[in-house]
Amino acid sequence: MTRLADLAELVRAPAALSVPGDVLSGAAAAGTLDRRTPALAGASVLLYWAGMAANDWADRRLDAVERPERPIPSGRVRPATALGVAAGLTAAGLAVAGAAGGRRATAVAVPLAATIWGYDLLAKNTAAGPAVMAACRGLDVLLGASVGPRRGREALPAGRGPVRALPAGSGLVRALPAALTVAAHTWTVTALSRREVSGADRRLPRATLAGTALVAATALGRPDPVPVALAAGYAGRYGAAQARVLADPSPARVRAAVGAGITGLPALQGALTARAGARLLGLAVAAAAPLGRRLARLISPT
């Protein structure tokens, strides 16, 4: 019988702490934070876990050689079980997104799920892999912006006029810069992850380190101490891990940098959320980063 601990390892359960911040940062950027947002974040987590399970199912033969300790090659989780978990979590994620956000959320969640499965089954080991994974995270941010204000209306700040109607899709447009920022970060992490077993030459960490600096600068927005501090913390920790790869591009250093990129993402999401004006929420999102690092010691996020 499959143990719960083995399923948690299959889906890299602690790494899901890096997921809700996508939806929250998208909703903050779009001005659509409301009672529907937590449910959309939950849907995002379900789809993320589905992708992790599908990833291990697709990689089961390769992992038997390179990572025999993983749940499937070690015999702790049967391949059919992993595939069933992936399919079930996908269906659950789409159902939750539809229930929370209706057609608009479904219109983003379905392409998101398709892109996740497309990465796992087709794109991962191709040159398009990092770009496809970046698209997954970008769509995840847009999921938070997909629902629009209740009844299509938005209240203007106090003293600036009456309630006005918003055109359909305006939230997605406003959240696009945040989505592109998270997508760019994801590209760097995915590009590094492709060298977790073989190690990397120094050109790769140079490119990803430059990308991280650009991502952090993009997250700053207007001068504000909260997003500035969070973006600096993100760049400092993730950048330092990549600098160590630049000095020693061994597989262990690459894996450490990938882990830093995954567990450091909440700090970036927090900066984007705070930049949109939700400072306290941004700090709360960023607080997932240290918790994720602690849990990563128990279950590897990579």
Side-chain angles (χ1 to χ4, degrees):
M1 183 175 179
T2 304
R3 300 184 306 162
L4 184 60
D6 296 327
L7 292 177
E9 184 179 349
L10 176 74
V11 301
R12 282 88 156 171
L17 287 170
S18 72
V19 177
D22 287 343
V23 169
L24 293 172
S25 62
T32 60
L33 282 167
D34 63 19
R35 288 178 294 178
R36 297 167 292 180
T37 306
L40 292 175
S44 174
V45 169
L46 292 171
L47 292 174
Y48 180 88
W49 281 340
M52 292 296 100
N55 176 79
D56 271 23
W57 179 81
D59 278 358
R60 61 194 184 280
R61 293 184 180 86
L62 180 63
D63 283 346
V65 176
E66 296 183 347
R67 296 185 178 184
E69 74 282 0
R70 290 293 302 158
I72 295 177
S74 67
R76 290 177 288 133
V77 176
R78 295 186 299 115
T81 299
L83 184 60
V85 167
L89 288 170
T90 299
L94 293 174
V96 172
R103 294 180 184 176
R104 290 185 180 181
T106 300
V108 177
V110 169
L112 170 58
T115 306
I116 290 170
W117 280 86
Y119 173 81
D120 287 334
L121 301 182
L122 299 173
K124 179 169 50 180
N125 296 318
T126 72
V132 175
M133 180 54 74
C136 291
R137 282 287 190 169
L139 286 168
D140 205 29
V141 174
L142 295 180
L143 181 62
S146 62
V147 293
R150 291 278 185 192
R151 291 183 292 275
R153 304 182 72 82
E154 175 188 52
L156 292 175
R160 295 194 181 181
V163 172
R164 62 179 172 84
L166 286 176
S170 62
L172 296 176
V173 173
R174 287 183 292 176
L176 190 57
L180 292 174
T181 299
V182 172
H185 163 81
T186 304
W187 182 92
T188 69
V189 177
T190 308
L192 285 168
S193 72
R194 292 156 70 89
R195 298 293 181 266
E196 286 183 309
V197 174
S198 63
D201 62 54
R202 287 179 171 82
R203 290 175 296 177
L204 178 59
R206 285 195 192 101
T208 61
L209 192 54
T212 298
L214 180 60
V215 165
T218 303
L220 294 177
R222 62 182 185 277
D224 185 306
V226 175
V228 167
L230 294 178
Y234 154 79
R237 180 172 291 275
Y238 183 35
Q242 292 172 85
R244 288 190 285 272
V245 176
L246 191 57
D248 173 18
S250 64
R253 288 284 178 89
V254 173
R255 285 194 294 271
V258 172
I262 294 171
T263 60
L265 178 55
L268 174 63
Q269 297 161 335
L272 293 169
T273 303
R275 185 185 71 178
R279 295 178 182 83
L280 291 179
L281 181 59
L283 289 170
V285 169
L291 177 58
R293 287 193 290 272
R294 290 190 181 94
L295 292 176
R297 298 169 188 167
L298 302 176
I299 297 178
S300 173
T302 67

